[in-house]
Coordinates of all heavy atoms in Angstrom, one line a residue:
M12 N 66.9 -232.0 45.9 CA 65.6 -231.1 46.0 C 65.8 -229.8 45.4 O 64.8 -229.3 44.8 CB 65.2 -231.0 47.5 CG 64.7 -232.3 48.1 SD 62.9 -232.1 48.3 CE 62.7 -233.0 49.7
A13 N 67.0 -229.2 45.4 CA 67.1 -227.9 44.9 C 67.1 -227.8 43.4 O 67.6 -228.7 42.7 CB 68.5 -227.3 45.3
L14 N 66.3 -226.9 42.9 CA 66.0 -226.9 41.5 C 67.3 -226.4 40.7 O 67.4 -226.7 39.5 CB 64.9 -225.9 41.2 CG 63.5 -226.4 41.6 CD1 62.4 -225.4 41.3 CD2 63.1 -227.6 40.8
D15 N 68.1 -225.6 41.4 CA 69.3 -225.0 40.6 C 70.3 -226.1 40.3 O 71.2 -225.8 39.5 CB 69.9 -223.9 41.4 CG 70.4 -224.4 42.8 OD1 70.2 -225.5 43.2 OD2 71.0 -223.5 43.4
Q16 N 70.1 -227.3 40.7 CA 71.0 -228.4 40.3 C 70.8 -228.7 38.8 O 71.7 -229.2 38.2 CB 70.7 -229.7 41.1 CG 71.3 -229.6 42.5 CD 71.0 -230.8 43.3 OE1 70.1 -231.6 43.0 NE2 71.8 -231.0 44.4
T17 N 69.7 -228.4 38.3 CA 69.5 -228.6 36.8 C 70.1 -227.5 36.0 O 70.1 -227.5 34.8 CB 68.0 -228.7 36.5 OG1 67.3 -227.5 36.9 CG2 67.3 -229.9 37.2
Q18 N 70.5 -226.4 36.7 CA 71.0 -225.2 36.0 C 72.4 -224.9 36.6 O 72.5 -223.9 37.4 CB 70.1 -224.0 36.1 CG 68.8 -224.2 35.3 CD 68.3 -223.0 34.6 OE1 68.2 -221.9 35.3 NE2 67.9 -223.2 33.4
P19 N 73.4 -225.7 36.4 CA 74.7 -225.6 37.0 C 75.5 -224.3 36.7 O 76.4 -224.0 37.4 CB 75.5 -226.8 36.6 CG 74.9 -227.2 35.3 CD 73.4 -226.8 35.4
L20 N 75.1 -223.6 35.7 CA 75.8 -222.4 35.2 C 75.1 -221.1 35.6 O 75.5 -220.1 35.1 CB 76.1 -222.5 33.7 CG 76.7 -223.8 33.2 CD1 76.9 -223.7 31.7 CD2 78.1 -224.1 33.9
T21 N 74.1 -221.2 36.4 CA 73.4 -219.9 36.8 C 74.3 -218.9 37.3 O 75.1 -219.2 38.2 CB 72.3 -220.3 37.8 OG1 71.3 -221.2 37.2 CG2 71.5 -219.0 38.2
G22 N 74.2 -217.7 36.8 CA 75.1 -216.6 37.3 C 76.4 -216.5 36.7 O 77.2 -215.6 37.0
K23 N 76.7 -217.5 35.8 CA 78.0 -217.4 35.1 C 78.0 -216.8 33.7 O 77.0 -217.1 33.0 CB 78.6 -218.8 35.1 CG 78.8 -219.5 36.4 CD 79.9 -218.9 37.1 CE 80.1 -219.5 38.5 NZ 80.9 -218.8 39.4
T24 N 79.0 -216.1 33.3 CA 79.0 -215.5 32.0 C 80.2 -216.1 31.2 O 81.3 -216.2 31.7 CB 79.3 -213.9 32.1 OG1 78.1 -213.4 33.0 CG2 79.3 -213.3 30.8
F25 N 79.8 -216.4 30.0 CA 80.7 -217.1 29.1 C 81.0 -216.3 27.8 O 80.0 -215.7 27.3 CB 80.1 -218.5 28.6 CG 80.1 -219.5 29.8 CD1 79.1 -219.4 30.7 CD2 81.0 -220.5 29.8 CE1 79.0 -220.4 31.7 CE2 80.9 -221.5 30.8 CZ 79.9 -221.4 31.8
V26 N 82.1 -216.5 27.2 CA 82.4 -216.0 25.9 C 83.0 -217.2 25.1 O 83.8 -218.0 25.6 CB 83.4 -214.8 25.9 CG1 83.8 -214.5 24.5 CG2 82.9 -213.6 26.6
I27 N 82.5 -217.3 23.9 CA 82.9 -218.4 23.1 C 83.8 -217.9 22.0 O 83.4 -216.9 21.3 CB 81.7 -219.2 22.4 CG1 80.8 -219.7 23.6 CG2 82.3 -220.4 21.6 CD1 79.5 -220.2 23.1
T28 N 85.0 -218.4 21.7 CA 85.9 -217.9 20.7 C 86.5 -219.1 19.9 O 86.7 -220.1 20.5 CB 86.9 -217.0 21.2 OG1 87.7 -216.3 20.2 CG2 87.9 -217.7 22.2
G29 N 86.8 -218.9 18.7 CA 87.5 -219.9 17.9 C 86.5 -220.9 17.4 O 85.3 -220.9 17.6
T30 N 87.0 -221.9 16.6 CA 86.2 -223.0 16.1 C 86.2 -224.2 17.0 O 87.3 -224.8 17.3 CB 86.8 -223.4 14.8 OG1 86.9 -222.2 13.9 CG2 85.9 -224.4 14.0
L31 N 85.1 -224.6 17.6 CA 85.0 -225.7 18.5 C 85.1 -227.0 17.7 O 84.6 -227.1 16.6 CB 83.7 -225.6 19.3 CG 83.5 -224.4 20.2 CD1 82.1 -224.3 20.8 CD2 84.6 -224.2 21.2
P32 N 85.6 -228.1 18.4 CA 85.8 -229.3 17.6 C 84.6 -230.0 17.1 O 84.6 -230.5 16.0 CB 86.5 -230.2 18.7 CG 86.9 -229.4 19.8 CD 86.2 -228.1 19.7
T33 N 83.5 -230.1 18.0 CA 82.3 -230.8 17.6 C 81.0 -230.0 17.6 O 80.1 -230.3 16.9 CB 82.1 -232.1 18.4 OG1 81.8 -231.7 19.8 CG2 83.3 -233.0 18.4
L34 N 81.0 -228.9 18.4 CA 79.8 -228.2 18.5 C 79.9 -226.9 17.6 O 81.0 -226.3 17.4 CB 79.6 -227.6 20.0 CG 79.3 -228.6 21.1 CD1 79.3 -228.0 22.4 CD2 77.9 -229.3 20.8
K35 N 78.8 -226.5 17.1 CA 78.8 -225.1 16.5 C 78.7 -224.1 17.6 O 78.2 -224.4 18.7 CB 77.5 -225.0 15.6 CG 77.5 -225.8 14.3 CD 76.3 -225.6 13.5 CE 76.3 -226.5 12.3 NZ 75.1 -227.1 11.9
R36 N 79.1 -222.9 17.3 CA 79.0 -221.9 18.4 C 77.7 -221.7 18.9 O 77.4 -221.5 20.1 CB 79.7 -220.6 18.0 CG 81.2 -220.7 18.0 CD 81.9 -219.7 17.2 NE 82.0 -218.4 17.9 CZ 83.0 -217.5 17.6 NH1 83.8 -217.8 16.7 NH2 83.0 -216.4 18.3
S37 N 76.7 -221.7 18.0 CA 75.3 -221.6 18.4 C 74.8 -222.7 19.3 O 74.0 -222.5 20.2 CB 74.4 -221.4 17.1 OG 74.5 -222.6 16.3
E38 N 75.3 -223.9 19.0 CA 74.9 -225.0 19.8 C 75.5 -224.9 21.3 O 74.8 -225.2 22.2 CB 75.5 -226.4 19.2 CG 74.7 -226.7 18.0 CD 75.4 -227.9 17.2 OE1 76.6 -228.1 17.3 OE2 74.6 -228.6 16.6
A39 N 76.8 -224.5 21.3 CA 77.4 -224.3 22.6 C 76.7 -223.2 23.4 O 76.5 -223.4 24.6 CB 78.9 -223.9 22.5
K40 N 76.3 -222.1 22.7 CA 75.5 -221.0 23.3 C 74.3 -221.6 23.9 O 73.9 -221.3 25.0 CB 75.3 -220.0 22.3 CG 74.6 -218.7 22.9 CD 74.4 -217.7 21.8 CE 73.7 -216.5 22.4 NZ 73.5 -215.4 21.3
D41 N 73.5 -222.3 23.1 CA 72.2 -222.9 23.6 C 72.4 -223.7 24.8 O 71.7 -223.7 25.8 CB 71.6 -223.7 22.5 CG 71.0 -222.9 21.4 OD1 70.9 -221.6 21.5 OD2 70.7 -223.4 20.3
L42 N 73.5 -224.6 24.8 CA 73.7 -225.5 26.0 C 74.0 -224.7 27.2 O 73.5 -225.0 28.3 CB 75.0 -226.4 25.6 CG 74.7 -227.5 24.7 CD1 76.1 -228.2 24.3 CD2 73.8 -228.5 25.2
I43 N 74.8 -223.6 27.1 CA 75.1 -222.8 28.2 C 73.9 -222.1 28.7 O 73.7 -222.1 29.9 CB 76.2 -221.7 27.8 CG1 77.6 -222.5 27.6 CG2 76.4 -220.6 28.9 CD1 78.6 -221.6 26.8
Q44 N 73.1 -221.5 27.8 CA 72.0 -220.8 28.2 C 70.9 -221.7 28.8 O 70.2 -221.4 29.8 CB 71.3 -220.0 27.0 CG 72.2 -218.9 26.6 CD 71.7 -218.2 25.4 OE1 71.1 -218.8 24.6 NE2 72.1 -216.9 25.3
N45 N 70.8 -223.0 28.3 CA 69.9 -223.9 28.9 C 70.3 -224.3 30.3 O 69.4 -224.9 31.0 CB 69.7 -225.2 28.0 CG 68.9 -224.8 26.7 OD1 68.3 -223.8 26.7 ND2 69.2 -225.6 25.6
A46 N 71.5 -224.3 30.6 CA 72.1 -224.6 31.9 C 72.1 -223.3 32.8 O 72.6 -223.4 33.9 CB 73.4 -225.2 31.8
G47 N 71.5 -222.2 32.4 CA 71.3 -221.0 33.3 C 72.4 -220.0 33.1 O 72.5 -219.0 33.7
G48 N 73.4 -220.3 32.2 CA 74.6 -219.4 32.0 C 74.1 -218.3 31.0 O 73.1 -218.3 30.3
K49 N 75.0 -217.3 30.9 CA 74.8 -216.2 30.0 C 76.0 -216.1 29.0 O 77.1 -216.4 29.4 CB 74.7 -214.9 30.8 CG 74.5 -213.6 30.0 CD 74.3 -212.4 31.0 CE 75.0 -211.2 30.4 NZ 75.1 -210.2 31.3
V50 N 75.7 -215.9 27.7 CA 76.8 -215.8 26.7 C 76.9 -214.4 26.2 O 75.8 -213.9 25.7 CB 76.5 -216.8 25.6 CG1 77.7 -216.8 24.5 CG2 76.4 -218.2 26.1
T51 N 78.1 -213.9 26.2 CA 78.3 -212.5 25.6 C 79.3 -212.7 24.5 O 80.0 -213.7 24.4 CB 78.7 -211.5 26.7 OG1 80.0 -211.9 27.3 CG2 77.7 -211.4 27.8
T52 N 79.5 -211.6 23.8 CA 80.5 -211.6 22.6 C 81.8 -211.0 23.0 O 82.7 -211.2 22.3 CB 79.9 -210.9 21.4 OG1 79.5 -209.6 21.8 CG2 78.6 -211.6 20.9
A53 N 81.9 -210.2 24.1 CA 83.1 -209.6 24.4 C 83.6 -210.0 25.8 O 82.8 -210.1 26.7 CB 82.9 -208.1 24.4
V54 N 84.9 -210.2 25.9 CA 85.6 -210.6 27.1 C 85.7 -209.2 28.0 O 86.1 -208.2 27.5 CB 87.0 -211.1 26.8 CG1 87.7 -211.3 28.1 CG2 86.8 -212.4 26.1
S55 N 85.2 -209.4 29.3 CA 85.4 -208.3 30.1 C 85.7 -208.8 31.6 O 85.7 -210.0 31.7 CB 84.1 -207.4 30.2 OG 83.0 -208.1 30.9
A56 N 85.8 -207.9 32.5 CA 86.1 -208.3 33.8 C 84.9 -209.1 34.5 O 85.1 -209.9 35.4 CB 86.4 -207.1 34.7
K57 N 83.8 -209.0 33.9 CA 82.6 -209.7 34.3 C 82.5 -211.1 33.7 O 81.6 -211.9 34.1 CB 81.3 -209.0 33.9 CG 81.2 -207.7 34.7 CD 79.9 -206.9 34.3 CE 79.9 -205.6 35.0 NZ 78.7 -204.8 34.5
T58 N 83.4 -211.5 32.8 CA 83.4 -212.8 32.1 C 83.9 -213.8 33.1 O 84.9 -213.6 33.7 CB 84.2 -212.8 30.9 OG1 83.8 -211.8 30.0 CG2 84.2 -214.1 30.2
D59 N 83.2 -215.0 33.3 CA 83.7 -216.0 34.2 C 84.5 -217.1 33.4 O 85.5 -217.5 34.0 CB 82.4 -216.8 34.8 CG 81.7 -215.8 35.8 OD1 82.3 -215.5 36.8 OD2 80.6 -215.5 35.5
Y60 N 84.1 -217.4 32.2 CA 84.8 -218.5 31.4 C 84.9 -218.1 30.0 O 84.0 -217.5 29.4 CB 84.0 -219.7 31.5 CG 83.8 -220.4 32.9 CD1 82.7 -220.2 33.5 CD2 84.9 -221.0 33.4 CE1 82.6 -220.7 34.8 CE2 84.8 -221.6 34.7 CZ 83.6 -221.5 35.3 OH 83.5 -222.0 36.7
L61 N 86.1 -218.3 29.4 CA 86.3 -218.3 28.0 C 86.3 -219.7 27.4 O 87.1 -220.5 27.8 CB 87.6 -217.5 27.6 CG 87.9 -217.4 26.2 CD1 86.9 -216.4 25.5 CD2 89.3 -216.9 25.9
V62 N 85.3 -220.0 26.5 CA 85.3 -221.3 25.9 C 86.2 -221.2 24.6 O 85.8 -220.4 23.7 CB 83.9 -221.8 25.5 CG1 83.9 -223.2 24.9 CG2 83.1 -221.8 26.8
L63 N 87.3 -222.0 24.5 CA 88.2 -221.8 23.5 C 88.1 -222.9 22.4 O 88.0 -224.1 22.7 CB 89.6 -222.1 24.1 CG 90.3 -221.0 24.9 CD1 91.6 -221.5 25.4 CD2 90.5 -219.8 24.1
G64 N 88.1 -222.4 21.1 CA 88.3 -223.3 20.0 C 89.5 -223.1 19.3 O 90.4 -222.4 19.8
E65 N 89.7 -223.7 18.1 CA 90.9 -223.4 17.3 C 90.9 -222.0 16.8 O 89.8 -221.5 16.6 CB 90.9 -224.4 16.1 CG 91.7 -225.5 16.4 CD 91.8 -226.4 15.1 OE1 92.5 -226.0 14.1 OE2 91.2 -227.5 15.0
D66 N 92.1 -221.5 16.6 CA 92.2 -220.1 16.1 C 91.6 -219.0 16.9 O 91.0 -218.1 16.5 CB 91.7 -220.0 14.7 CG 92.3 -221.0 13.7 OD1 93.6 -221.1 13.8 OD2 91.7 -221.5 12.8
A67 N 91.7 -219.2 18.3 CA 91.2 -218.2 19.2 C 92.2 -217.0 19.1 O 93.4 -217.1 19.0 CB 91.2 -218.7 20.6
G68 N 91.7 -215.8 19.0 CA 92.5 -214.7 18.7 C 92.5 -213.7 19.9 O 93.0 -214.0 21.0
S69 N 92.1 -212.5 19.7 CA 92.2 -211.3 20.6 C 91.5 -211.6 21.9 O 91.8 -211.2 23.0 CB 91.8 -210.0 20.0 OG 90.5 -210.2 19.6
K70 N 90.4 -212.3 21.8 CA 89.6 -212.6 23.0 C 90.4 -213.5 24.0 O 90.3 -213.3 25.2 CB 88.3 -213.4 22.7 CG 87.3 -212.5 21.9 CD 86.0 -213.2 21.6 CE 85.1 -212.2 20.8 NZ 84.0 -213.0 20.3
L71 N 91.2 -214.4 23.5 CA 92.1 -215.3 24.3 C 93.1 -214.4 25.0 O 93.3 -214.5 26.2 CB 92.8 -216.3 23.5 CG 93.8 -217.1 24.2 CD1 93.3 -217.8 25.4 CD2 94.5 -218.1 23.3
K72 N 93.7 -213.5 24.2 CA 94.7 -212.6 24.8 C 94.1 -211.8 25.9 O 94.7 -211.7 27.0 CB 95.3 -211.7 23.7 CG 96.5 -210.8 24.2 CD 97.1 -210.2 23.0 CE 98.4 -209.5 23.6 NZ 98.5 -208.1 23.1
K73 N 93.0 -211.2 25.7 CA 92.3 -210.4 26.7 C 91.9 -211.2 28.0 O 92.1 -210.7 29.1 CB 91.1 -209.7 26.2 CG 90.4 -208.7 27.2 CD 89.7 -207.6 26.5 CE 89.2 -206.7 27.5 NZ 88.3 -205.6 27.0
A74 N 91.4 -212.4 27.7 CA 91.0 -213.3 28.9 C 92.3 -213.6 29.7 O 92.2 -213.6 30.9 CB 90.4 -214.6 28.3
Q75 N 93.4 -213.8 29.1 CA 94.6 -214.1 29.8 C 95.1 -212.9 30.6 O 95.5 -213.0 31.8 CB 95.8 -214.5 28.8 CG 95.6 -215.9 28.2 CD 96.5 -216.2 27.0 OE1 97.0 -215.2 26.3 NE2 96.9 -217.4 26.9
E76 N 94.9 -211.7 30.0 CA 95.3 -210.5 30.8 C 94.4 -210.3 32.0 O 94.9 -209.8 33.0 CB 95.2 -209.3 29.8 CG 96.3 -209.1 28.8 CD 96.0 -208.2 27.7 OE1 95.0 -207.4 27.8 OE2 96.7 -208.1 26.7
L77 N 93.2 -210.7 31.9 CA 92.3 -210.5 33.0 C 92.2 -211.7 33.9 O 91.5 -211.7 35.0 CB 90.8 -210.3 32.4 CG 90.6 -208.9 31.6 CD1 89.3 -208.9 31.0 CD2 90.8 -207.7 32.5
G78 N 92.9 -212.7 33.7 CA 92.9 -214.0 34.5 C 91.7 -214.7 34.4 O 91.3 -215.4 35.5
I79 N 91.0 -214.8 33.3 CA 89.7 -215.5 33.2 C 90.0 -216.9 32.9 O 90.8 -217.3 32.1 CB 88.8 -214.8 32.1 CG1 88.5 -213.4 32.5 CG2 87.6 -215.6 31.7 CD1 87.9 -212.5 31.4
T80 N 89.2 -217.8 33.5 CA 89.3 -219.3 33.3 C 89.0 -219.6 31.9 O 88.0 -219.2 31.3 CB 88.4 -220.0 34.3 OG1 88.7 -219.6 35.6 CG2 88.6 -221.5 34.1
Q81 N 89.9 -220.4 31.2 CA 89.7 -220.9 29.9 C 89.2 -222.3 29.9 O 89.8 -223.2 30.7 CB 90.9 -220.7 29.1 CG 91.3 -219.2 28.9 CD 92.8 -219.1 28.9 OE1 93.5 -219.8 28.3 NE2 93.3 -218.0 29.5
L82 N 88.2 -222.7 29.1 CA 87.7 -224.1 29.0 C 87.8 -224.5 27.6 O 87.6 -223.8 26.7 CB 86.3 -224.0 29.4 CG 85.9 -223.7 30.8 CD1 84.4 -223.6 30.9 CD2 86.5 -224.6 31.8
T83 N 88.1 -225.8 27.4 CA 88.0 -226.4 26.1 C 86.5 -226.8 26.0 O 85.7 -226.8 26.9 CB 88.9 -227.7 26.0 OG1 88.5 -228.6 27.0 CG2 90.3 -227.3 26.2
E84 N 86.2 -227.3 24.7 CA 84.8 -227.7 24.6 C 84.4 -228.9 25.5 O 83.4 -229.0 26.2 CB 84.5 -228.2 23.1 CG 83.2 -228.7 22.8 CD 83.0 -229.4 21.5 OE1 83.2 -228.6 20.5 OE2 82.8 -230.6 21.3
S85 N 85.4 -229.9 25.7 CA 85.2 -231.0 26.5 C 85.0 -230.6 28.0 O 84.2 -231.1 28.7 CB 86.2 -232.1 26.3 OG 87.5 -231.6 26.7
Q86 N 85.8 -229.6 28.4 CA 85.7 -229.2 29.8 C 84.4 -228.4 30.0 O 83.7 -228.5 31.1 CB 86.8 -228.1 30.1 CG 88.2 -228.8 30.3 CD 89.3 -227.8 30.3 OE1 89.3 -226.8 29.7 NE2 90.2 -228.1 31.3
L87 N 83.8 -227.7 29.0 CA 82.5 -227.1 29.0 C 81.4 -228.2 29.2 O 80.6 -228.1 30.1 CB 82.3 -226.3 27.8 CG 80.8 -225.8 27.7 CD1 80.4 -224.8 28.7 CD2 80.6 -225.2 26.3
L88 N 81.5 -229.2 28.4 CA 80.6 -230.2 28.5 C 80.6 -230.9 29.8 O 79.5 -231.4 30.3 CB 80.8 -231.3 27.4 CG 80.5 -230.7 26.0 CD1 80.9 -231.7 24.9 CD2 79.1 -230.2 25.7
E89 N 81.8 -231.1 30.5 CA 81.8 -231.6 31.8 C 81.1 -230.7 32.8 O 80.5 -231.2 33.8 CB 83.3 -231.8 32.2 CG 84.0 -233.0 31.6 CD 85.5 -233.0 32.0 OE1 85.8 -232.5 33.1 OE2 86.2 -233.5 31.1
L90 N 81.2 -229.4 32.7 CA 80.5 -228.5 33.6 C 79.0 -228.6 33.5 O 78.2 -228.5 34.4 CB 80.8 -227.1 33.3 CG 82.1 -226.4 33.8 CD1 82.2 -224.9 33.3 CD2 82.2 -226.5 35.3
L91 N 78.5 -229.0 32.3 CA 77.1 -229.1 32.1 C 76.6 -230.4 32.7 O 75.5 -230.6 33.0 CB 76.8 -229.1 30.6 CG 77.2 -227.8 29.9 CD1 77.1 -228.0 28.3 CD2 76.3 -226.7 30.4

């Protein structure tokens, strides 16, 4: 009955970095936003998840320092 079941990512903030295997970054961003999540460009203490593609650089390092959960594209799709 709860409507928020259709938006599993409500209140969560994501950063996408690197080249994803099958999705364009814009597509991943749309999927996250359509599920109620927010996408930002910079990793901060407010970031909930870092979506990792190939060649992830400084954002990965910062996420590791802050203890932010890292997701692959397939793990992101499972959340959705």
Side-chain angles (χ1 to χ4, degrees):
M12 287 252 213
L14 290 176
D15 60 355
Q16 287 180 339
T17 59
Q18 297 215 311
L20 305 181
T21 299
K23 300 293 183 192
T24 301
F25 291 76
V26 174
I27 303 167
T28 188
T30 306
L31 300 176
T33 66
L34 294 172
K35 292 183 182 137
R36 283 162 83 155
S37 60
E38 292 171 329
K40 182 178 178 179
D41 288 345
L42 287 171
I43 291 166
Q44 290 174 333
N45 290 339
K49 183 173 139 190
V50 179
T51 61
T52 55
V54 174
S55 73
K57 294 179 181 174
T58 305
D59 294 295
Y60 297 102
L61 179 69
V62 181
L63 282 179
E65 259 185 76
D66 300 323
S69 59
K70 290 178 185 174
L71 172 58
K72 187 171 185 225
K73 184 154 188 188
Q75 288 171 330
E76 288 169 5
L77 294 172
I79 292 165
T80 302
Q81 296 147 37
L82 299 173
T83 63
E84 178 187 298
S85 59
Q86 289 171 319
L87 169 65
L88 294 173
E89 283 174 30
L90 278 182
L91 297 168

